Structure formats: structure tokens, C-alpha cells
Amino acid sequence: MDRIPILRMGEFLLVTIQVDMHDQLALTLQDDLSEQIRRHGSRGVLIDISALDIVDSFIGRMIATISALSKIMDAETVLVGMQPAVAITLVELGLTLPGVSTALNVERGMSLLRDRVRSQ
Amino acid sequence: MDRIPILRMGEFLLVTIQVDMHDQLALTLQDDLSEQIRRHGSRGVLIDISALDIVDSFIGRMIATISALSKIMDAETVLVGMQPAVAITLVELGLTLPGVSTALNVERGMSLLRDRVRSQ
């Protein structure tokens, strides 16, 4: 697979990460995502990581970069579906994902995004 | 990866297939999906295949099985995001995906599901 699909859900975009990320895939995702935000005027990005058993510093940095990139383009990013074991590992490693909002699942993440967009 | 994530979006479920399917993964997906339909009383299932460059008879059969399974549990299935090249190959191979509805993207698929559920 050479790119991660980005699904449009109304004014938000949903990215489900299921495969191991590598440099080129991460760069392609950033390019595709910024292009989709521009094209559709999206106000929020949901990144679902429920399929990931491991979140290392590479994935963490990629998520932080996507979040910063979206912010510049006036879109909020919410990370959803983190497994409990992943959360424990992140805390133990001291990876705090600064500037990234989280929600338990896609529904709550979408509700959080709606509240944020409405309150602006 | 040992299972494909199923995301709940209101009364519908969304499955994004990004990896090569094999027997065990397909069986696990069917089990997980029927369990989620039961638990949440979901009325529809969206299967996104925009990441797939190839849809062979194995994937085709799996999609038809999921569709039949969902139908028995009172949920409609819509296949979304098919790449043009995949559609051409399916027609050339004579794989017609009987009983499976399709839509261009997730938004249209969700709109189709909403119409169907309302008209029941």
C-alpha cells in the first residue's frame, strides 16, 4: 500500500491508521491531508489508531506534525481509539503528545470537534 | 495486525479495509461486525475499499457474505470508495457482487443508508 485513505465525513476528515508507518507513507499522508483540507475546507481531522498495538516516537511525532499542520490550515485534530496498553506505554515513555487532543472513540471525537467549531 | 477496526458512526458502522485479507482476518471481521451490530443495534454497514488496488474473488465473496450476514441482522451494507481500475477489473472478470449496494464515497454511502433506513 502506498497511501493511507482519507475519508470525508461532512466538514471533517477521518484517517484510520492500520499499517506500520514508514517515512514515505507519513510524508504522503501529510501531503494528502493538507490537500484535502484545502480542497474541502475541512474544519477537523480525526485520526483513529484503534488498530495500533504500538505507538512509538515516530508515530507520535507524525501525529504531532499532522496536528500542527492542520492547525495552521484552521482545522483541529483529535486522536481517537487509543488502546489502554498504548496509553500506558506512552505515559511510561514520557511521550505526552503535546498539542494533540484525544477522545475515546470516533463518535466522541466528532462531538468534540463539533463543539470546538461551533464555539469559534 | 490481527483484526480490522470497526468504527461506530451513530447508527452505522464503518469498516476501512487497507490490508491484504486472509482467511482468519475475514472470519474475525465477520464475527466482530455481527457482534457490533448486535451490541449497538446498528442499521447499516459501510465498507470502504478506497485503499485497495485489487479486489479478487476472495474479497468479493467476503463482501457478499458480510452483506448477507448484515441483512439477516436487519442492517444494510454499502460498499464505498471503489477505484475506477477495480470497477473495470470486476466487470471484466464478471464479478458482479450480487446483493451489494455501492456508493462513490463514504458521504454518499451514508446518505444512501439514511434514506433506506428512513423509508422502512
Side-chain angles (χ1 to χ4, degrees):
Chain A
M1 200 181 64
D2 55 353
R3 61 192 342 119
I4 291 178
I6 298 169
L7 307 180
R8 191 180 162 203
M9 330 264 327
E11 56 189 333
F12 306 128
L13 299 173
L14 171 66
V15 181
T16 309
I17 298 176
Q18 296 179 14
V19 293
D20 284 337
M21 297 299 289
H22 50 77
D23 284 1
Q24 193 49 55
L25 200 56
L27 285 177
T28 307
L29 177 61
Q30 287 168 24
D31 285 354
D32 289 352
L33 202 54
S34 49
E35 171 57 25
Q36 297 266 337
I37 292 173
R38 188 194 64 75
R39 192 185 308 160
H40 304 301
S42 303
R43 301 301 307 277
V45 177
L46 289 155
I47 303 178
D48 173 71
I49 56 164
S50 58
L52 298 186
D53 295 322
I54 296 164
V55 170
D56 56 14
S57 60
F58 177 72
I59 303 259
R61 200 172 61 237
M62 185 197 73
I63 290 166
T65 306
I66 285 176
S67 178
L69 179 70
S70 307
K71 195 93 184 170
I72 290 179
M73 299 184 76
D74 194 27
E76 297 275 340
T77 302
V78 178
L79 189 65
V80 301
M82 191 185 289
Q83 293 183 20
V86 169
I88 291 167
T89 311
L90 285 182
V91 170
E92 283 176 352
L93 291 176
L95 286 169
T96 51
L97 300 174
V100 180
S101 304
T102 52
L104 199 61
N105 53 40
V106 173
E107 282 207 308
R108 293 201 191 178
M110 208 162 272
S111 154
L112 181 69
L113 281 177
R114 278 199 202 97
D115 290 348
R116 293 234 180 123
V117 170
R118 297 292 162 272
S119 68
Q120 274 173 6
Chain B
M1 199 180 63
D2 55 354
R3 62 193 340 121
I4 291 179
I6 298 169
L7 308 180
R8 190 177 163 207
M9 329 268 324
E11 55 188 336
F12 306 128
L13 298 174
L14 172 66
V15 181
T16 309
I17 298 176
Q18 296 179 14
V19 293
D20 284 337
M21 296 299 289
H22 50 77
D23 285 0
Q24 193 50 54
L25 200 56
L27 286 176
T28 308
L29 178 60
Q30 288 167 24
D31 286 353
D32 289 353
L33 202 54
S34 50
E35 171 57 25
Q36 296 266 337
I37 292 173
R38 188 194 64 75
R39 192 185 307 159
H40 304 302
S42 303
R43 301 301 308 276
V45 177
L46 289 154
I47 303 177
D48 173 72
I49 56 164
S50 58
L52 298 186
D53 295 321
I54 295 165
V55 170
D56 56 13
S57 59
F58 177 72
I59 303 257
R61 202 171 60 238
M62 184 199 74
I63 290 167
T65 307
I66 285 177
S67 179
L69 178 72
S70 306
K71 194 91 182 170
I72 291 180
M73 299 185 76
D74 193 27
E76 297 276 340
T77 303
V78 178
L79 190 65
V80 301
M82 190 185 289
Q83 293 184 19
V86 169
I88 291 167
T89 311
L90 285 183
V91 169
E92 283 176 351
L93 291 176
L95 286 169
T96 52
L97 301 174
V100 180
S101 304
T102 52
L104 199 62
N105 53 40
V106 173
E107 282 207 309
R108 294 201 191 177
M110 207 162 269
S111 154
L112 181 69
L113 281 177
R114 278 199 203 99
D115 290 347
R116 293 233 179 125
V117 169
R118 296 294 163 271
S119 66
Q120 276 174 5

